Structures are given as structure tokens and as C-alpha cells.
Amino acid sequence: MQSQLARAVKLLKQGELVAIPTETVYGLAGNALDEKAVAKIFDVKNRPSFDPLIVHVDSLEKAKEYVAHFPPMAEVLAQKFWAGPLTLLLPKKKIIPDLVTSGLPNVAVRIPNHPLTLELLKQLDFPLAAPSANPFGYLSPTTADHVRQSLGEKIPLILDGGSCQIGIESTIVGFPADVPTIYRKGGISVEDIERIVGQVVVLEKSTSHPAAPGMLIRHYAPHAKMYLGNIDSLLAAHDSPTTVVLSFQRYYDGIPSHRQFVLSPKGDLVEAAQNFFNILHHIDHLHPSVILAELLPEIGLGRAINDRLRRGAMNYSH
Ligand code: TXA
Ligand code: MG
């Protein structure tokens, strides 16, 4: 029997899609240079065509084949954080189809840090366009099962690489007017980026036509209604036999433990990020009437997790 990896190589060369593991979340991958394969990605995800895709490569040299100009600051960040959860927005070369970038002049590029996907990329002579492998707007997948549950019937292969180590998407950094700018908070903290390039601009909000559609107001959202705030006050207003609580660190009185979920009992933001989407998928399967959640400390990966909580919640005003 062919190995999963060999099957993945074959399918991708034929222009088919394959779900791939990365250290952040699972991706829905296709040949980034093949417009038909790229169109399939938008179709399977039900993704609007104005929301561009990240291009994945396995070396800095390969990234340079698709980027017209690699500014020194971007190169320093790439040297420091690749392979890893950093996506760079850089001017694209013509070879990258406009469909990939939704007609924008920049291409988003990264080297994912997962052995299986790095081996896959090594065996291909094209880069992989891959958004998170979930229906548009829904929770990102951090296990092969998550992908199977939402897109399983639409794709010929899910390459199972276990649970994602980081658990939230990559941090997206661009350089408009040579100013390092964070378009999406993610698996590398703002503080870690600033330690390398000095102060950065962090784009917080967006409208219906965002700079990066991960910035769309409602995104990363569970099916269940989620309210954000002080959990004791929220419980006073929303407690029912199917209310679920999602907290950072502690359990709350007055609600049974099987309806409480804690992101990191020891208060570790890295662990909270690892657990975040997995716990939300689990909660969603319980079909709660409502999820009551609290924000995490606004530092490190807490900022990235809070960003996703706000975009998934009903009561957050932008
Ligand atoms: O960790 C990740 O980044 C995962 C794994 C699979 O690599 N991918 C991921 O892709 O999160 P996606 O498509 O779910 O989110 C990518 C974000 C989108 O919000 C998109 O708008 C933004 O990147 N993006 C991609 N290309 C862009 C471009 N040329 N200009 C501005 N934003 C871009
Ligand atoms: Mg996504």
C-alpha cells in the first residue's frame, strides 16, 4: 500500500486538494501555481474570492522564487522564526496567480514547522496554497478529526500529523511603507516580533473589506452562541441546564464541572493556545444553549487568543 505521503504527492501533482498538518492548524492545500486547484480551495471552503491564501514553502530560497522583493527586516524575521508560525506579506512575482492573492500586490508566504508537511513540500516542485481547513468563518481545525468532521466528504485525503503543537494560526506581518505591521495576531507574540524589529503597528479592527480577512468581524466562530465577559455576571443572566463555561484557568462555583472547560489550569498562555480550538470544537459538539467565556491576560499569546474569542462572540462590538 502506498504511504499517505506518497498519496498526497500524487494527488497534489494531479491538481487535487489534500488537508495537511502544520504546527498551527491544519491547512487545505493545493498547487499554488495551478489556478484550477486554487479555485477548488475557495469552492470547498465556501470562501469568498476576496480572501487571499497563504503560500507554503519549505525553504527561504524557495520563498524568494515567488517574492519580488524581500526587505532586510523581513529576512531577519524569516531567519529567526522560520520554520514556524510567521507569515510574511511581500510583493509577489507574476508566477503567483492573482487568484491566490485576490488581486492584491502582496503574497502571504510561510514555512510551516511540521515534519510531514516539510517532507511533502520537499517532494513537490510547486508551493502549496493553504488556508485553514475549515468551512469559511468556522473554528480552525487542530486535529485530522476536526477536518474530517467538517470537510471530510469534500477532499480525497487528510494527511494525519497528530494534534497541532501551537494550536492557533500564524502571525501575519507586512511592511507597508517599510513599517513592520501585524495584520493578524497569531502563534508568535507581538512582543517576540518587537524584540527583533522594534516597535510594530498592530492592526486591530476591520470592516467588510479587510486588509486581511482573518480580521473579519465574525470569524473563528463556533456554531453555539458565545458571550464574553465576567463569567459570574454572565452566569447570572444566561445560566441554563445546557450553558457551558470556558475559562482561562479556574472553575466557577454553581455550575457542574462537566459543563466547565479550562484552557490552562496552570495559567500558561502557550498551553491555552494549544487547547483553544480543540476545546471549542468539543464544546460545539455538546450543542450548548450558550457558551460563556472570559478574556485572557492581554499579553503574549493571550492577545491572539482574545482576538479569536472576540471574533467568535455575539456581544463584542467592533
Ligand atoms: O497558520 C496559518 O497561517 C494557517 C496554516 C494552514 O498555515 N493558515 C491560515 O490561513 O490561517 P487562512 O487562509 O485561514 O488565513 C490566512 C489569512 C487570511 O485572513 C487572509 O486574508 C490573509 O491571511 N492573507 C493571505 N494573503 C494575503 C495578502 N496577500 N494580503 C493580505 N492578507 C492576506
Ligand atoms: Mg482561517
Side-chain angles (χ1 to χ4, degrees):
M1 201 186 90
Q2 248 179 346
S3 74
Q4 295 289 86
L5 190 68
R7 277 188 66 206
V9 169
K10 189 168 170 213
L11 285 163
L12 288 162
K13 283 185 177 167
Q14 290 167 348
E16 298 297 334
L17 306 187
V18 173
I20 56 166
T22 84
E23 80 284 25
T24 58
V25 301
Y26 274 73
L28 177 61
N31 179 350
L33 307 182
D34 173 355
E35 290 211 30
K36 276 195 192 145
V38 174
K40 270 188 207 165
I41 295 176
F42 283 95
D43 186 44
V44 166
K45 264 194 75 110
N46 204 5
R47 182 182 179 106
S49 60
F50 64 75
D51 191 356
L53 306 178
I54 296 176
V55 171
H56 298 71
V57 293
D58 65 319
S59 71
L60 180 57
E61 293 65 42
K62 283 200 192 156
K64 288 181 174 171
E65 288 177 27
Y66 308 110
V67 166
H69 171 61
F70 219 111
M73 217 186 298
E75 182 134 3
V76 171
L77 285 173
Q79 297 282 6
K80 175 77 189 168
F81 295 115
W82 280 357
L86 170 74
T87 292
L88 295 171
L89 279 180
L90 298 168
K92 82 175 192 77
K93 280 192 184 154
K94 254 208 175 116
I95 182 168
I96 297 290
D98 284 337
L99 192 56
V100 170
T101 65
S102 301
L104 294 169
N106 288 330
V107 58
V109 58
R110 87 177 190 100
I111 304 181
N113 190 14
H114 192 290
L116 208 50
T117 291
L118 285 171
E119 183 55 36
L120 174 66
L121 286 163
K122 206 179 288 173
Q123 294 188 25
L124 297 170
D125 59 1
F126 49 81
L128 291 175
S132 51
N134 52 283
F136 184 67
Y138 188 57
L139 303 172
S140 295
T142 54
T143 65
D145 258 349
H146 295 160
V147 183
R148 206 166 289 126
Q149 283 151 17
S150 65
L151 297 179
E153 282 158 20
K154 295 184 168 180
I155 42 182
L157 178 65
I158 300 167
L159 205 48
D160 192 341
S163 290
C164 300
Q165 284 289 307
I166 303 282
I168 53 173
E169 299 84 345
S170 59
T171 301
I172 302 182
V173 182
F175 307 89
D178 291 330
V179 180
T181 302
I182 295 188
Y183 286 76
R184 176 177 72 184
K185 282 167 264 177
I188 295 172
S189 68
V190 175
E191 293 92 326
D192 281 349
I193 304 274
E194 289 191 323
R195 226 165 272 134
I196 308 298
V197 295
Q199 211 187 350
V200 301
V201 171
V202 182
L203 299 182
E204 296 286 350
K205 297 186 184 177
S206 193
T207 57
S208 59
H209 237 77
M215 300 174 72
L216 279 171
I217 291 172
R218 196 153 162 76
H219 210 82
Y220 311 113
H223 293 309
K225 276 187 201 160
M226 179 161 72
Y227 288 97
L228 263 185
N230 174 284
I231 287 182
D232 284 314
S233 325
L234 288 170
L235 273 170
H238 296 284
D239 196 12
S240 85
T242 59
T243 297
V244 159
V245 165
L246 174 64
S247 82
F248 173 37
Q249 228 187 317
R250 56 168 278 225
Y251 288 88
Y252 284 79
D253 292 336
I255 185 150
S257 59
H258 71 271
R259 288 197 275 119
Q260 298 209 42
F261 296 85
V262 176
L263 288 172
S264 170
K266 60 177 192 276
D268 179 330
L269 294 166
V270 173
E271 181 181 58
Q274 274 169 2
N275 289 331
F276 180 69
F277 281 119
N278 199 25
I279 287 182
L280 273 172
H281 277 279
H282 183 80
I283 291 176
D284 233 8
H285 289 138
L286 301 175
H287 304 291
S289 53
V290 61
I291 305 169
L292 308 181
E294 64 187 1
L295 289 172
L296 281 62
E298 274 288 329
I299 50 166
L301 296 191
R303 289 180 73 175
I305 298 168
N306 286 346
D307 184 59
R308 286 153 182 75
L309 281 169
R310 291 189 181 105
R311 288 177 212 286
M314 308 297 290
N315 63 335
Y316 187 73
S317 57
H318 295 259

